[in-house]
Amino acid sequence: MAKHQKKTIEEVLEDASRYLNEKHTAFLRRAYEYANKAHEGQVRKSGEAYIIHPVQVAGILIELEMDPATIAGGFLHDVLEDTEVSFDDLKEEFSEEVALLVDGVTKLGKIKYKSKEAQQAENHRKMFVAMAKDIRVILIKLSDRLHNMRTLAHLPETKQRRIANETLEIFAPLAHRLGISTIKWELEDTSLRYLNPQQYYRIVHLMRQKREERESYIEQVIDEINSQLGDVNIKAEMSGRPKHIYSIYRKMVHQKKDFNEIYDLLAVRVIVKSIKDCYAVLGIIHTCWKPMPGRFKDYIAMPKPNLYQSLHTTVIGPKGEPLEVQIRTQDMHEIAEYGIAAHWLYKEGKSGSEKQEDMSRQLSWFREILEWQNETVDAEEFMESLKVDFFSDMVYVFTPNGDVIELPRGSVPLDFAYRIHTEVGNKTIGAKVNGKMEPLDYKLRTGDIVEMLTSKHSYGPSEDWLKITQTSQAKNKIKQFFKKQRREENVQKGQESVETEIKNLGFEPKEAFTEENIQLALDRFSFQTEEDLYAAVGYQGVTAQQVANRITEKLREKEKATDLENSIKEMQQEVENRKQRSSGSGVYVKGVDNLLIRLSRCCNPVPGDDIVGFITRGRGVSVHRNDCPNISSEDESRLLEVEWDNQTQDRKSYSVDLEINGFDRSGLLNEILQVVNETNTSITAVNGKSDRNKMATINLTILIHNVEHLRKIVERIKQIRDVFTVQRTLH
């Protein structure tokens, strides 16, 4: 999906009218007007009216040609989270269908969690469960994430990196699993831009240098194929497809290659009318150029689980360099670009039992998500399982009957057995791979034919199987077996483990095991009785540490409150005769007198930054930027509200570290230093380096008065030719 210019509501509705009727477009206009009124007065970080975001999200869904309810969900996707609109309001105004779609996308913002990570994991769990019930939820969420990534430049750097990392770990793999490559590639490329800007801009720069040469080469290849196809009366559409930036970056990292060592940067795509023509074109291409051994893949005869179909071959092209050719029909191309959205039943001509069967096959792995979330108590554990089982690289193996089974890379025959059926796994006594007996910890490879040997006299799984298996599904099934077989033993074992953990935390079990504390643990982990809880610990359904932490939560809070009170008293005693605005920091603490204050060196806050104070042990109050990663995990009970003293900031200088990335050329460093000097700014340190691809990294330490002063300097540096990025750095 190419990056689009920002569209107006009229342009978005005009796009919708190309495949929807007047009644549907009127419905979409009503959804827009409702969202516009609900978000009235709200603005984004960029300063633009908030409604611009839902309009662009709906526009992306229209590009996918989704149904009216989904597009309406795009317009309304933030109203439950960010406005006073309720689920019942949406249900009454539009329909229960639209209300459920919006609710599925909405985060759990009103519930308090132990940490940001736990809250985010719970948000994702809710989204996946809603998605498993209605796939359109994730199509709205992917469109939402895509537009947020396009506008990520307006957020602080730490948020940019966190969101980009989450996108790369969860949303890009999701788009891949759904076959929506047009969204997947843009999410990956944009994530790389914020996670590793130096490499991103380096690859962009190197690709631009050889652009004309590549385009000329592709034209030569296409002319040759056209000439050959004309001789056999096959009509085809052809185009060059440069590799995406992230795929080049991955190849450089995984294969430890430099850019100049990667030859297959281009692919030629050939789109024909029929499957018969696909194989005919393949034969012609192999006649023109010599195919490379092991580089032919037939995804038409054996489609990927996300229903992707195409012929892939790599040949030695006209200049003796590898050239990838993809051959497919127009229907296959539509699925390759838009994935499950291309199969949406609403579309004219896309209904029927065959399409329903295809979509059911593609979404079979989502149904397992519903089973898992019932078995997994902890949201963070649920997300980790999901990443391993569904978002990692996959291998494709066969049953003896020829059915294809998809498993995460590293899986063993036991994972295969439990994927087939729980009883096949529990009764396993051995495995044959490609007709040969193999151990149960044998690493499966794509193309293996696996046959499980079972016996009705088997005693069931061994505990060692938990170490051997790789998939969460197999591990959960094994744990369930032990849970049923050894309940009494598990209850005793679990209680002893919890008591040991409580002692490790510095508390006596008798003190901790109050009715109130145990009820907190039962509620948190969704168990009815104390025995159920201990049994779960015994068979490793939850850890003893998790339960002990919950049971001692109130005791630890009380202990922290006492520690905090003592720390404040110690500091106030230490600086009893000092002024509130201390150490010349230019910062003071709201509502508390006589505290030592120092600016943290890890993030170097300056006037204008949003700041927070942290009460240290024996060293006063340490002031950090709100987005400092070192403060995000700190104990919230030790945080204090602090403010800048506007009367002193213009008379003081604050140290800030900048990192500048750009293309190394003669005079670049001198230009940067000259620009900084012209702003009457002191430079206290400077160093730089350049890699073999002429990418320069320059680090400056400067003294500034406030954020506005810093912004002017950064803007001046960004205007210098060949400078790619300028960013504050953290220690």
Side-chain angles (χ1 to χ4, degrees), residues 45 149 151-165 191-198 602-603 609 625-629 656-661 699 710 714 718 725-731:
K45 291 287 185 182
M149 291 300 292
T151 56
L152 204 57
H154 301 288
L155 296 181
E157 185 190 344
T158 49
K159 276 194 175 181
Q160 289 175 347
R161 294 184 65 83
R162 177 178 60 77
I163 292 170
N165 192 60
S191 296
L192 179 63
R193 177 182 164 193
Y194 290 101
L195 290 172
N196 197 335
Q198 186 173 356
C602 60
C603 58
D609 284 333
R625 280 161 44 192
N626 271 353
D627 60 356
C628 177
V656 169
D657 295 318
L658 294 179
E659 181 179 285
I660 303 160
N661 291 302
N699 296 102
L710 176 62
V714 170
K718 281 184 175 179
T725 62
V726 183
Q727 56 192 357
R728 280 173 80 174
T729 55
L730 301 174
H731 290 293

Side-chain angles (χ1 to χ4, degrees), residues 516-517 520 550-558:
E516 181 186 9
N517 290 342
L520 281 172
R550 191 64 172 175
I551 287 176
T552 60
E553 185 175 2
K554 288 190 176 297
L555 293 173
R556 285 182 288 117
E557 285 175 0
K558 185 178 177 181

Side-chain angles (χ1 to χ4, degrees), residues 62-226:
I62 288 168
E63 288 179 46
L64 298 174
E65 294 194 13
M66 293 306 299
D67 62 301
T70 308
I71 301 167
F75 279 122
L76 300 162
H77 75 275
D78 275 334
V79 297
L80 291 184
E81 182 180 354
D82 296 333
T83 75
E84 298 301 315
V85 174
S86 69
F87 179 90
D88 289 336
D89 292 335
L90 282 182
K91 182 178 175 182
E92 183 178 345
E93 182 68 25
F94 297 98
S95 66
E96 185 173 14
E97 179 184 22
V98 170
L100 286 170
L101 287 173
V102 175
D103 185 56
V105 182
T106 303
K107 297 175 186 172
L108 306 181
K110 297 177 183 176
I111 300 177
K112 198 165 184 179
Y113 294 92
K114 295 179 297 182
S115 64
K116 288 182 181 178
E117 291 76 13
Q119 180 170 354
Q120 195 70 350
E122 194 59 56
N123 289 337
H124 289 144
R125 165 145 69 173
K126 183 195 177 196
M127 180 183 70
F128 277 105
V129 173
M131 176 180 70
K133 295 175 182 175
D134 192 331
I135 190 61
R136 293 175 295 175
V137 168
I138 198 57
L139 295 175
I140 297 172
K141 187 62 185 176
L142 283 173
S143 302
D144 170 51
R145 179 51 61 109
L146 181 58
H147 183 249
N148 281 335
M149 291 300 292
R150 289 175 180 174
T151 56
L152 204 57
H154 301 288
L155 296 181
E157 185 190 344
T158 49
K159 276 194 175 181
Q160 289 175 347
R161 294 184 65 83
R162 177 178 60 77
I163 292 170
N165 192 60
E166 178 187 68
T167 300
L168 210 51
E169 280 193 350
I170 293 174
F171 292 99
L174 251 181
H176 173 68
R177 289 304 301 245
L178 295 173
I180 314 175
S181 62
T182 185
I183 287 181
K184 174 203 171 190
W185 290 121
E186 188 176 342
L187 290 177
E188 288 181 337
D189 284 358
T190 314
S191 296
L192 179 63
R193 177 182 164 193
Y194 290 101
L195 290 172
N196 197 335
Q198 186 173 356
Q199 286 286 15
Y200 174 86
Y201 286 110
R202 173 191 166 199
I203 293 170
V204 169
H205 181 79
L206 293 170
M207 288 180 75
R208 280 178 184 161
Q209 286 183 325
K210 296 188 176 181
R211 182 175 177 179
E212 288 184 11
E213 181 185 332
R214 288 198 312 270
E215 288 177 351
S216 171
Y217 178 66
I218 285 299
E219 284 178 16
Q220 181 185 347
V221 170
I222 288 176
D223 287 345
E224 176 65 24
I225 297 174
N226 257 328

Side-chain angles (χ1 to χ4, degrees), residues 543-719:
T543 68
Q545 187 178 27
Q546 287 174 315
V547 175
N549 284 339
R550 191 64 172 175
I551 287 176
T552 60
E553 185 175 2
K554 288 190 176 297
L555 293 173
R556 285 182 288 117
E557 285 175 0
K558 185 178 177 181
E559 192 177 68
K560 285 176 188 175
T562 304
D563 283 350
L564 180 61
E565 189 178 333
N566 291 338
S567 294
I568 292 175
K569 284 179 180 178
E570 286 173 13
M571 282 190 290
Q572 289 176 330
Q573 183 66 37
E574 184 182 345
V575 292
E576 186 176 355
N577 298 319
R578 301 191 186 192
K579 294 181 179 179
Q580 182 178 356
R581 293 174 175 85
S582 61
S583 305
S585 64
V587 175
Y588 64 92
V589 181
K590 285 186 176 182
V592 183
D593 291 337
N594 304 332
L595 292 181
L596 284 170
I597 301 173
R598 64 183 181 85
L599 299 180
S600 169
R601 291 182 182 177
C602 60
C603 58
N604 285 337
V606 300
D609 284 333
D610 292 331
I611 52 175
V612 64
F614 177 71
I615 299 174
T616 64
R617 297 184 186 273
R619 290 182 295 128
V621 175
S622 174
V623 177
H624 296 256
R625 280 161 44 192
N626 271 353
D627 60 356
C628 177
N630 293 329
I631 205 69
S632 61
S633 59
E634 300 284 11
D635 186 343
E636 289 186 10
S637 65
R638 305 185 78 86
L639 299 182
L640 289 176
E641 284 191 63
V642 293
E643 286 187 351
W644 291 107
D645 181 356
N646 295 325
Q647 296 175 4
T648 65
Q649 63 175 259
D650 291 334
R651 300 193 299 271
K652 285 184 57 59
S653 292
Y654 298 83
S655 178
V656 169
D657 295 318
L658 294 179
E659 181 179 285
I660 303 160
N661 291 302
F663 179 66
D664 188 19
R665 59 169 171 81
S666 177
L668 178 65
L669 177 59
N670 287 338
E671 284 186 42
I672 291 171
L673 296 178
Q674 184 179 343
V675 161
V676 175
N677 285 328
E678 286 172 359
T679 64
N680 295 319
T681 301
S682 298
I683 301 173
T684 61
V686 58
N687 65 70
K689 61 182 179 180
S690 176
D691 64 19
R692 60 178 175 172
N693 291 298
K694 303 284 284 180
M695 297 301 295
T697 301
I698 298 168
N699 296 102
L700 291 181
T701 302
I702 58 177
L703 297 178
I704 57 100
H705 298 305
N706 52 41
V707 167
E708 183 59 24
H709 183 187
L710 176 62
R711 186 189 66 77
K712 289 177 181 176
I713 297 168
V714 170
E715 288 303 316
R716 290 287 303 277
I717 296 174
K718 281 184 175 179
Q719 291 169 14

